[in-house]
Amino acid sequence: MDTSRSLRRSVVSATGVVSVLFLSTGLHAQIVDSSAVNGNDSLALQERLPIFTVTTVDLESELGSQDISGILQSSRDVYSQAAGLNFGPARYRIRGLDGENTTVMINGVAVNDPEAGWATWSQWGGLNDVTRYMEIRTGNSGSRLGFAGIGGYSGINARASDQRRGTRVSYALSNRAYDHRVMATHSTGMMKNGWSVSASGSWRYATQGYTEGTTFDAYAYFLSVEKKFNAKHSLGFVGFGAPVTQGRQGLAVQEAYDLSGTNYYNPNWGLQAGEKRNARISVDHKPMFLLSHYFTPKEGTEWITSLYYTFGRDGQTSLNWYDAKDPRPDYYRYLPSYYEDTDPAMAAQLASAWENGSAGQIDWDQLYFANGKNLFSVVDADGTAGNTVTGNRSKYIVEDMRSDPRRFGLNSVWSNAMNETYHLSIGLSAHDHVTHNYKVISDLLGGDFWVDVDQFAEQDFLDPSVAQNDLNTTNRVITEDERFGYDYDMHVRMGQAFAQVEGNWQRVEAYAAGQVGVQSFWRDGLMRNGRFPDSSFGPSEKQNFLHYGIKAGATYKINGRHFITANGAYLTRPPLARFAYISPRTRDAVVPGLQLEKVASADLNYVVRSPRVKGRATVYIANIQDQVWSRSFYHDDYRTLVNYTMRGVDQSHMGVEFGTEVKVTPTISTSIVYGTGQFLYTSRPLATITRDNSSEVFATDRKIYWQNYRVGGMPQTAGSLSVRYNSPKFWFISITGNYFADIYLDPNPDRRSAEALDGFVVEDPQWDALLEQTQLDNAFTLDAFGGKSWMFKRKYRLALNVSVSNLLNNQEFTVGGFEQLRYDRQELDRFPPKVSYLFGRTYFIMLSFGF
C-alpha cells in the first residue's frame, strides 16, 4: 500500500439487512456480538454491526384470502445477510450510507443518539439472547413503528411475553476483542397469573485482545417484566445496561507498522514498572429503562405508549502534557523518516531503537519521573488572593474526556386494521436530550496538581487572563477526578408525528407515509473561557428547525414466487448538533449558514422465492444535500486544536445489489452475493477554519473542490461465494470466500482547494499528489463456520458452534484509518495516513445448553 494514502474514519453502519419488500410482515433476526466479529475496529464499541438470520414467518393470518402468497413467507434476504456477516469486518456499508440514515428502535422507541445521529449498539452489547428477535428492513421502507430513514430500521422487541420461553446458558472462547464470554438467560413466557419475566446477563473478558496492549472487561444485564391485566391492557417494564471497560487499539502510520514488524502495532500502551498499561481506556455504561402500556381495544387495533429514561457515562482517557515533550511514541518527530534528509545518523539510531524494542511504546516510568521533578508554586490559586499552592506540578497526566448523556421521552403509536384492505398507523414522540461534555483528571502520574490554563494561549498572549480555561475561577488547581479544560451541556429537544396507510390487494400491496417534526438544539457553557469570554458561558442562541418527510412504495405480485417492488422517499432533517458548532469545547459559534439537509432515495427490486431458489436484484439511488462536515486536529506549529468545518456537502449513492441462494441438493446449498456502487461527493462545499487558542479565523468560505471524489472508508464493491452442507444428523459446515474492491480514501478537503495549489503548475509533481484520490488494494478473505447440536429427552439441547474468520490469515488488508488533516504541501509524506488492518486468522467457539 502506498503510505501516502489516506483513509477517513469509518464506522460500519448498524443498518438492518432484510429488504423492505412486504409491509405487513415482521421479521425475526439474530445479532451476533460484533466485538467478537470485528474487534480490530477501534470504534467497534460505538457502532455494533447486526448479523441477521431470518426465520420462516407464518403469514396466513395477515394475507387472509389472497390467492398469491406474500414475498417474505419463506426465509431470508440473501444479500443483506451476507452484507452483515461476511462484509462487515471490511467496514462495508449497505448502499454506502452512514448510521444516521438507519433508525434503531427498542419496543418502538427510537434509540439513535439525537446529537450524533447514529445508534450505539454497545449500549446493549452482550445481550444477544434477548435482542436476537427483531423486525428489520433495509433501505426505503414503511414501518408501523415510526418514520425511518433511507437506510431502513431495526426494531428490537424486548417485551417479556414475546421472549422465547426457556433457559439458555452458553460459554464462548475467542481470540478477538475478548477471550471469554459467559451468558445466561431465562424467560418464563406468559404465566397463568398474567405475569411474564425475562432476565439475561453476560460477562466478556480479556487480559489482552488480539492486539497487544488491549484489554476487555464487559458486563451486561437485562430485565423485562410484564403484567397482563385483561385481554385489553398490559403493562411492561424493561431495564438493561452493558458496562464496558476496554483498552483501545490505536491507529498508526505505515512507517510505525514497518518498524515494529507487525501490522497490529498499538501505540497506546507501554510498560509501567514492568506491567503493560494502556493510555486509551474507554468506559461506557448507559442503562435504559422503559415503561410501556399495551392497549388492544379490539382485534386488529393496538395502541402502545412508552415512557423511557436513559443516562450514564461515556468516556475515554488519553495523555495530556504541559511544557514537556510529546509522550506519544509514534509522534512524527520520533520516526526515522523525519531525519532521513537532515540527519541520517539520527534516523539510523531511531530505526535501531524501534527494531530492538527500546522505542515505539509509551515510557510510563519516564512520565512519573518528570512529574516528580517539577516543584512549582501557584499564586492566587483558585481565584483567591494570597492563596499559594506549592508542590510538584504534573507535566504529564491521564485525562478522561467525558460525554455523559441523559434523555427521557414519550413514544405513542396507534395501529388499526381499518378493514381487510387498509391499515392505518399514527404515532407521536417527544424527546429531551442533554449530553454533559467535560474533562476530568484520571491520573496525575505522581504529580501533586495540574493548573487549568491553556499553555499555548499562555505563550501567545501577554494578558494572563486569556490563558484561563475558566475566568469564573482563575488559576484553578486541579487534582484527580476534578473537571478542567472545558465543561458544557449540549441540549437537543425534538418532537415528531407520523402517519402511514397501507393497502393490500390481490396482486398489489402499497403504502404511503409522512412525517413532520420540530427540533431545537443549543449549547450551555459551564465555564467562561479566557479566549472567548463573551461566547463561552451560559446558554447560547437556540437553533430551531421544522422538518418533514414523505415516502411511498408498492409490491407487485407476478405470482406466488416472483415479485417486483419499488420504494421512494424524500425528507428533510436538521443538521446534527454534534457537528453544527465550530468548537463547542470553547465557544458557542455555529457553522455559518446552517440549514436543513435534503435527502431523496429510490429503489427498484426483483425478487424470487421458490423452494430451490431465493434471490433479489436491486437498483437504487440516494442523494443527500447540504450536510455539515466537522473535524478537529492538533497542529503543533500553531500549538492548538484546529477546527475544520464545511457546509454544503452533497453526496450521491447509486448502485446495484444481487443475492441468490440455490438449494443444489437437499443437503447442499450455495449462495452468490454481489454489490457495487458509485458513492460520490457532488458539490463544492465551503470551509471555515479556526483554532481553539485564539479568535483568529484562518479561512472563511474557502471553496473545496470535492465534486466527483469518491466517498471513502469502505469497499464500494463486494462479493461472496458460499457453499453450505447441512447434515441430516444435525451438523453443518459452510465455507465462504469474500472479495472487496473499489476502496477509496476519503479526500482531505483542504488539499482539494485553490489555496493548496497556490504556486504550483500542472507539471509540478505536487499538483497530482495533492489532487489525486488514492485507491487501496483489493482484498480476498476466506471464512468457515460449522456446528453440531444434540437433543436429549426431547427437552434439553446442547449446541456447539465454531467460526473461523480470515482463514488464509490475510494480514495485509487495510480496513480503516483516517487521513491526517495536517499536511505539508511540499512533502505530503510528512503526515501520512494512520491506518488499521483486518485481524489475521481468528476464531469464535461457543457451547450452549438450553431447555
Side-chain angles (χ1 to χ4, degrees):
M1 185 192 73
D2 185 351
T3 57
S4 67
R5 299 171 181 176
S6 59
L7 185 62
R8 178 174 71 91
R9 183 188 78 174
S10 167
V11 179
V12 178
S13 171
T15 54
V17 295
V18 178
S19 178
V20 52
L21 300 173
F22 206 74
L23 287 172
S24 56
T25 306
L27 301 180
H28 296 297
Q30 180 180 26
I31 291 181
V32 174
D33 187 352
S34 69
S35 63
V37 174
N38 189 25
N40 60 309
D41 186 350
S42 66
L43 297 168
L45 287 178
Q46 296 301 314
E47 292 292 318
R48 292 300 190 192
L49 177 72
I51 311 302
F52 304 97
T53 303
V54 182
T55 62
T56 301
V57 180
D58 182 3
L59 298 183
E60 292 181 1
S61 61
E62 299 180 5
L63 297 174
S65 59
Q66 293 185 103
D67 296 329
I68 300 176
S69 62
I71 192 170
L72 293 177
Q73 185 169 357
S74 59
S75 192
R76 61 189 182 272
D77 180 75
V78 181
Y79 177 86
S80 300
Q81 185 185 22
L85 180 61
N86 303 331
F87 303 159
R91 301 185 182 178
Y92 181 81
R93 300 200 297 269
I94 294 178
R95 302 185 183 179
L97 298 173
D98 287 324
E100 63 265 26
N101 295 289
T102 300
T103 305
V104 179
M105 293 171 276
I106 297 179
N107 283 10
V109 174
V111 294
N112 293 60
D113 186 330
E115 184 183 347
W118 55 71
T120 307
W121 288 79
S122 63
Q123 194 171 348
W124 52 90
L127 295 174
N128 308 49
D129 287 348
V130 291
T131 59
R132 69 175 68 244
Y133 299 108
M134 62 175 72
E135 182 181 1
I136 299 170
R137 290 178 180 155
T138 298
N140 302 303
S141 68
S143 170
R144 295 179 181 177
L145 301 174
F147 192 93
I150 61 171
Y153 70 90
S154 299
I156 297 173
N157 183 358
R159 188 174 178 178
S161 60
D162 288 339
Q163 299 297 316
R164 177 176 294 179
R165 181 179 178 181
T167 300
R168 186 173 185 266
V169 179
S170 65
Y171 169 75
L173 179 67
S174 177
N175 68 336
R176 299 171 182 173
Y178 56 80
D179 294 337
H180 308 278
R181 189 192 73 183
V182 179
M183 186 181 300
T185 302
H186 177 72
S187 299
T188 66
M190 184 59 69
M191 297 181 287
K192 293 181 180 179
N193 59 5
W195 286 91
S196 54
V197 179
S198 180
S200 184
S202 71
W203 178 52
R204 295 166 290 164
Y205 181 76
T207 55
Q208 179 168 288
Y210 186 92
T211 303
E212 190 172 13
T214 60
T215 59
F216 200 95
D217 190 9
Y219 297 84
Y221 55 87
F222 171 90
L223 177 65
S224 181
V225 180
E226 183 179 345
K227 171 61 177 178
K228 184 175 182 179
F229 296 99
N230 50 49
K232 295 184 177 181
H233 294 276
S234 293
L235 189 66
F237 166 82
V238 176
F240 61 86
V244 181
T245 301
Q246 184 177 14
R248 293 289 194 173
Q249 174 186 1
L251 308 187
V253 299
Q254 187 60 48
E255 182 181 3
Y257 292 125
D258 295 339
L259 288 168
S260 61
T262 174
N263 283 337
Y264 307 108
Y265 162 71
N266 181 10
N268 286 345
W269 71 275
L271 294 178
Q272 178 182 333
E275 299 291 333
K276 291 179 182 178
R277 179 177 179 180
N278 194 310
R280 289 272 186 174
I281 302 292
S282 65
V283 179
D284 182 280
H285 182 206
K286 297 186 285 287
M288 186 172 187
F289 307 97
L290 303 96
L291 184 66
S292 301
H293 175 239
Y294 304 92
F295 177 45
T296 309
K298 61 179 181 178
E299 185 177 355
T301 300
E302 187 175 40
W303 189 1
I304 303 176
T305 300
S306 299
L307 292 169
Y308 76 91
Y309 178 66
T310 181
F311 68 100
R313 62 163 292 165
D314 186 354
Q316 180 167 280
T317 64
S318 66
L319 289 170
N320 197 350
W321 56 99
Y322 175 89
D323 190 26
K325 292 175 57 179
D326 193 318
R328 296 171 297 177
D330 60 339
Y331 179 50
Y332 76 101
R333 296 190 180 189
Y334 301 159
L335 297 175
S337 60
Y338 183 75
Y339 298 96
E340 281 180 351
D341 296 331
T342 59
D343 191 346
M346 175 60 74
Q349 181 180 340
L350 286 172
S352 177
W354 274 82
E355 290 169 3
N356 64 33
S358 59
Q361 305 303 150
I362 298 171
D363 190 345
W364 289 101
D365 294 336
Q366 179 60 36
L367 304 186
Y368 274 86
F369 176 80
N371 285 348
K373 301 292 184 179
N374 191 35
L375 194 63
F376 188 86
S377 294
V378 182
V379 180
D380 297 337
D382 299 327
T384 303
N387 180 29
T388 301
V389 175
T390 301
N392 282 319
R393 179 179 182 176
S394 289
K395 286 180 173 290
Y396 299 98
I397 62 171
V398 176
E399 63 182 14
D400 189 5
M401 298 171 289
R402 299 282 289 275
S403 295
D404 296 348
R406 61 184 186 275
R407 182 168 71 252
F408 65 89
L410 167 72
N411 188 79
S412 186
V413 177
W414 178 76
S415 183
N416 178 48
M418 303 167 65
N419 51 46
E420 291 185 356
T421 301
Y422 295 101
H423 188 281
L424 177 65
S425 300
I426 299 175
L428 297 169
S429 64
H431 313 268
D432 188 273
H433 174 91
V434 182
T435 300
H436 188 189
N437 300 276
Y438 60 99
K439 294 195 299 184
V440 298
I441 293 182
S442 177
D443 193 339
L444 285 166
L445 300 179
D448 296 322
F449 58 82
W450 178 268
V451 183
D452 193 16
V453 295
D454 187 298
Q455 63 174 310
F456 309 117
E458 197 174 39
Q459 299 167 9
D460 292 343
F461 299 95
L462 295 177
D463 184 356
S465 67
V466 176
Q468 299 293 326
N469 285 326
D470 187 8
L471 289 173
N472 295 332
T473 308
T474 57
N475 296 329
R476 289 182 62 226
V477 174
I478 310 298
T479 57
E480 291 178 2
D481 299 323
E482 292 185 332
R483 298 174 193 172
F484 76 107
Y486 60 84
D487 191 0
Y488 67 95
D489 287 334
M490 187 65 74
H491 293 259
V492 181
R493 192 168 291 167
M494 54 197 294
Q496 296 96 19
F498 89 96
Q500 175 175 287
V501 62
E502 306 163 32
N504 188 352
W505 300 272
Q506 183 175 2
R507 284 190 175 269
V508 176
E509 291 191 10
Y511 73 94
Q515 173 190 252
V516 63
V518 293
Q519 179 171 311
S520 298
F521 60 79
W522 67 98
R523 176 190 184 274
D524 188 2
L526 304 177
M527 288 183 176
R528 189 182 301 276
N529 188 285
R531 276 78 69 207
F532 307 95
D534 299 324
S535 59
S536 56
F537 185 71
S540 68
E541 179 184 356
K542 292 183 179 179
Q543 306 296 318
N544 301 311
F545 298 91
L546 173 66
H547 59 98
Y548 68 93
I550 55 175
K551 62 173 64 176
T555 299
Y556 175 68
K557 311 166 191 176
I558 301 173
N559 54 42
R561 296 178 178 177
H562 299 268
F563 308 83
I564 296 176
T565 74
N567 301 274
Y570 178 81
L571 57 103
T572 62
R573 62 191 185 195
L576 294 169
R578 178 167 294 181
F579 308 116
Y581 290 85
I582 289 176
S583 176
R585 297 174 303 277
T586 59
R587 55 198 183 275
D588 60 19
V590 298
V591 176
L594 280 182
Q595 59 180 308
L596 290 170
E597 297 178 4
K598 291 85 176 176
V599 182
S601 180
D603 59 65
L604 180 66
N605 310 271
Y606 169 72
V607 181
V608 59
R609 289 286 186 263
S610 70
R612 294 191 62 182
V613 179
K614 302 176 180 65
R616 170 172 66 90
T618 297
V619 293
Y620 62 85
I621 184 170
N623 292 316
I624 307 173
Q625 298 178 322
D626 296 321
Q627 298 176 99
V628 172
W629 187 98
S630 179
R631 302 289 188 273
S632 295
F633 63 99
Y634 178 73
H635 198 302
D636 60 356
D637 283 351
Y638 297 124
R639 298 177 297 183
T640 187
L641 284 173
V642 173
N643 309 296
Y644 203 106
T645 61
M646 295 190 296
R647 69 182 191 275
V649 177
D650 299 347
Q651 293 176 224
S652 175
H653 297 239
M654 63 178 66
V656 298
E657 299 169 342
F658 172 80
T660 184
E661 181 180 18
V662 179
K663 198 168 185 179
V664 181
T665 71
T667 57
I668 299 176
S669 61
T670 184
S671 64
I672 301 173
V673 171
Y674 177 77
T676 187
Q678 188 177 66
F679 313 142
L680 300 174
Y681 291 108
T682 57
S683 65
R684 294 178 175 178
L686 300 177
T688 299
I689 311 171
T690 63
R691 63 178 184 174
D692 270 7
N693 67 345
S694 167
S695 59
E696 179 184 0
V697 178
F698 292 131
T700 301
D701 289 346
R702 175 176 292 182
K703 183 176 288 188
I704 305 301
Y705 293 86
W706 257 17
Q707 191 170 16
N708 293 324
Y709 279 94
R710 295 276 188 142
V711 178
M714 64 193 151
Q716 298 199 7
T717 297
S720 74
L721 172 64
S722 179
V723 178
R724 179 183 175 108
Y725 173 76
N726 289 293
S727 170
K729 297 183 178 181
F730 306 104
W731 63 270
F732 71 93
I733 188 171
S734 67
I735 300 291
T736 302
N738 310 294
Y739 179 72
F740 305 98
D742 298 324
I743 311 171
Y744 291 85
L745 308 174
D746 217 34
N748 175 331
D750 206 61
R751 283 172 49 185
R752 281 77 187 183
S753 66
E755 288 77 5
L757 295 173
D758 186 37
F760 296 127
V761 296
V762 175
E763 291 76 15
D764 289 331
Q766 292 92 340
W767 185 278
D768 285 340
L770 284 165
L771 293 180
E772 188 176 275
Q773 186 173 12
T774 305
Q775 183 177 0
L776 296 179
D777 297 331
N778 301 340
F780 175 81
T781 63
L782 190 67
D783 303 326
F785 185 50
K788 167 70 174 175
S789 63
W790 300 266
M791 185 70 73
F792 306 97
K793 298 182 179 180
R794 297 187 177 181
K795 179 180 179 181
Y796 302 99
R797 182 176 182 270
L798 183 66
L800 176 66
N801 291 281
V802 179
S803 68
V804 180
S805 300
N806 196 3
L807 195 64
L808 300 180
N809 199 30
N810 180 357
Q811 298 186 8
E812 301 296 328
F813 183 12
T814 307
V815 295
F818 60 90
E819 180 177 3
Q820 299 189 67
L821 292 182
R822 186 183 178 188
Y823 67 99
D824 187 325
R825 295 194 318 135
Q826 299 289 346
E827 188 180 353
L828 287 178
D829 288 342
R830 174 60 57 86
F831 301 102
K834 293 190 174 185
V835 298
S836 67
Y837 286 83
L838 181 74
F839 283 174
R841 186 183 301 110
T842 60
Y843 61 85
F844 185 83
I845 304 170
M846 184 176 68
L847 183 67
S848 63
F849 179 70
F851 58 91

